[in-house]
Amino acid sequence: MCIRYPGIRLGAFRRTYGELKESLLAELANYSYAQALGGVWNGSEFELRFPNKSVVMFRYAETILDATRRQGGQYQLLLFDERTLTPPDVIAFLESRLRSGRADIPVLGIRSGSNPGGPGHLAVKTRYVDATNYGKRVVKDVRGRTVRFIPSGVTDNPHLNSEYVDDLKALPDKLRKAFLEGDWNSFAGQAFDFRVDRHVIAPIAIPESWRRYNGIDWGFAKPYCVLWGAVDEDGRVYIYREHYGPGVGEGEQAQRLAAAETEMEVVVARYADDAMWATRGDAKPIADVYAANGVHLTPAGKGKGSRVTGWQRVRSYLAEGPACPHHRALGWETCPLLHVFDVCENLVRTLPALPHATTGDPEDIDTDAEDHAADALRYMLINLGAGPEFVIFDTATSEVVPAVIGAFGYRLPEYEPSPWWEQPAPPDGGDQDHDQQWWP
Ligand SMILES: [Zn+2]
């Protein structure tokens, strides 16, 4: 491209210079920095320049702050190596730098290489993999740009030796599916084994006797999420409704919540992000605005343990138990302890796409990923006891093992939610994963 379009500016990105050095720059060195094409490498500026004034700028961008440092720059072609490792908002900001001030230099767009996994997994899967049906067709996006996905399987690369393929075949199931078979529904670092064919059901009638709860994650620039769950006689949880989306004010959120419920629908408790009790300068806490609109919330409670404890609880509900009546009628021996109605499309879309954190505690979730529905689910489940007490069918070993967890209705004392009037407001604003900055 540099030779074909004199004066073109290319930006080649990874998260850090360290990653650039190990990948793109190492490859570039193997080709003597394109000397054969007249390339001149500037190792202090990380730029490859050509006599016709074209330039490739190698840059790092791990955060929005990194990306804004490129604010003055403009590019006609952006290259992302391991694209899913870069958060989607960073990609979006850099994309806004795609332009050309000269009629003779075209804007070529973006080319990315990637594997499944990472905070950008869902954005890439939606935009490229799902939109093109795994590359079977080429599509136009809303701005008329061509979107193409080229699956590159291990057998497509003639330079890889057979040992490498054997190594991939020997990987654990999830890694093998992602790396060998290019399966974007399964990836390394996937936090939850949530499967549409096991966990998602068409809506069924919910008996009035089942207790109902909310899990609520607040957001404005980023989406807010309200989930409604009902608990059956055995303690299985059915998520039967969701509200989800960005740009809805807290008063409006509360009104929509109240309007969605029927007169017969009694929600026992509405567990919400502790951050909703934080003071906001002159503005009333969000929980107070909800209350002013007739919706009274209960802090989900840091006393319930860490975020990681909450994710473990989510996993224990995703596990299998003896089949519910609905699934028994379908001939299933076991079914998950969590059922999600198919109308809850954002929970269904985002929960399986969440990756483990790559910084901090690896048992945590990467907060750069779209985790709002998962947070709402966590706030509910951490307050519902440890789930049903019956044997758990271990799908990995096909062994039936007795559950070591307390039953719903026989809740372990430490999980007994105390009433909201006994709970102190969180001193530090609760979950600190709400970055309210959004670009552009
Ligand atoms: Zn079931």
Side-chain angles (χ1 to χ4, degrees), residues 125-257:
K125 180 172 182 285
T126 304
R127 183 171 175 179
Y128 296 96
V129 182
D130 293 344
T132 65
N133 191 17
Y134 272 80
K136 290 191 183 67
R137 57 174 185 258
V138 177
V139 297
K140 298 270 187 205
D141 72 6
V142 287
R143 289 165 60 181
R145 300 173 299 192
T146 304
V147 178
R148 197 186 294 269
F149 171 63
I150 305 172
S152 173
V154 69
T155 52
D156 296 323
N157 189 337
H159 303 294
L160 292 177
N161 57 37
S162 59
E163 276 174 24
Y164 182 77
V165 179
D166 290 340
D167 287 345
L168 286 182
K169 281 180 181 163
L171 285 172
D173 191 50
K174 210 180 271 184
L175 287 163
R176 180 175 49 73
K177 277 191 176 147
F179 286 151
L180 184 65
E181 300 163 24
D183 181 355
W184 282 74
N185 289 313
S186 176
F187 59 91
Q190 187 171 30
F192 300 110
D193 192 9
F194 180 89
R195 290 164 50 189
V196 170
D197 59 339
R198 300 238 30 120
H199 294 96
V200 180
I201 60 173
I204 57 171
I206 294 174
E208 271 176 39
S209 59
W210 294 6
R211 276 173 286 185
R212 297 168 187 244
Y213 300 89
N214 277 148
I216 302 173
D217 187 40
W218 183 81
F220 182 74
K222 293 185 176 181
Y224 83 107
C225 181
V226 182
L227 297 177
W228 281 261
V231 182
D232 75 6
E233 295 82 358
D234 295 321
R236 294 185 201 85
V237 173
Y238 296 70
I239 305 296
Y240 63 93
R241 187 191 291 133
E242 75 171 16
H243 282 179
Y244 192 90
V248 182
E250 46 269 29
E252 176 77 18
Q253 290 173 17
Q255 288 163 19
R256 288 187 189 184
L257 184 157

Side-chain angles (χ1 to χ4, degrees), residues 81-88 91 113-122 124-125 184:
D81 187 28
E82 292 294 353
R83 164 132 171 204
T84 54
L85 299 183
T86 302
I91 300 272
S114 204
N115 276 297
H121 175 87
L122 185 58
V124 168
K125 180 172 182 285
W184 282 74

Side-chain angles (χ1 to χ4, degrees), residues 185-404:
N185 289 313
S186 176
F187 59 91
Q190 187 171 30
F192 300 110
D193 192 9
F194 180 89
R195 290 164 50 189
V196 170
D197 59 339
R198 300 238 30 120
H199 294 96
V200 180
I201 60 173
I204 57 171
I206 294 174
E208 271 176 39
S209 59
W210 294 6
R211 276 173 286 185
R212 297 168 187 244
Y213 300 89
N214 277 148
I216 302 173
D217 187 40
W218 183 81
F220 182 74
K222 293 185 176 181
Y224 83 107
C225 181
V226 182
L227 297 177
W228 281 261
V231 182
D232 75 6
E233 295 82 358
D234 295 321
R236 294 185 201 85
V237 173
Y238 296 70
I239 305 296
Y240 63 93
R241 187 191 291 133
E242 75 171 16
H243 282 179
Y244 192 90
V248 182
E250 46 269 29
E252 176 77 18
Q253 290 173 17
Q255 288 163 19
R256 288 187 189 184
L257 184 157
E261 294 175 357
T262 66
E263 273 184 28
M264 302 304 293
E265 194 174 340
V266 180
V267 175
V268 183
R270 309 183 193 276
Y271 296 109
D273 184 354
D274 292 24
M276 294 169 71
W277 279 262
T279 49
R280 304 177 292 168
D282 289 342
K284 278 198 289 186
I286 292 153
D288 289 2
V289 178
Y290 264 69
N293 285 279
V295 178
H296 298 275
L297 305 176
T298 304
K302 283 207 155 171
K304 304 292 170 206
S306 64
R307 288 167 52 87
V308 168
T309 309
W311 300 131
Q312 284 162 349
R313 178 64 59 82
V314 171
R315 274 188 209 102
S316 73
Y317 273 92
L318 291 173
E320 301 268 320
C324 67
H326 166 75
H327 278 122
R328 243 191 345 262
L330 295 173
W332 294 25
E333 283 182 24
T334 70
C335 73
L337 312 183
L338 181 79
H339 294 68
V340 180
F341 286 9
D342 58 15
V343 292
C344 304
E345 52 188 49
N346 292 290
L347 178 62
V348 171
R349 177 177 61 84
T350 56
L351 193 61
L354 287 176
H356 281 291
T358 50
T359 55
D361 189 337
E363 286 302 302
D364 203 348
I365 303 304
D366 192 325
T367 54
D368 288 327
E370 194 175 339
D371 56 2
H372 320 294
D375 279 339
L377 181 65
R378 172 166 62 92
Y379 296 145
M380 185 192 308
L381 296 183
I382 199 68
N383 284 287
L384 292 192
E389 182 173 46
F390 34 45
V391 294
I392 304 291
F393 183 77
D394 188 331
T395 48
T397 62
S398 299
E399 277 177 16
V400 174
V401 292
V404 291

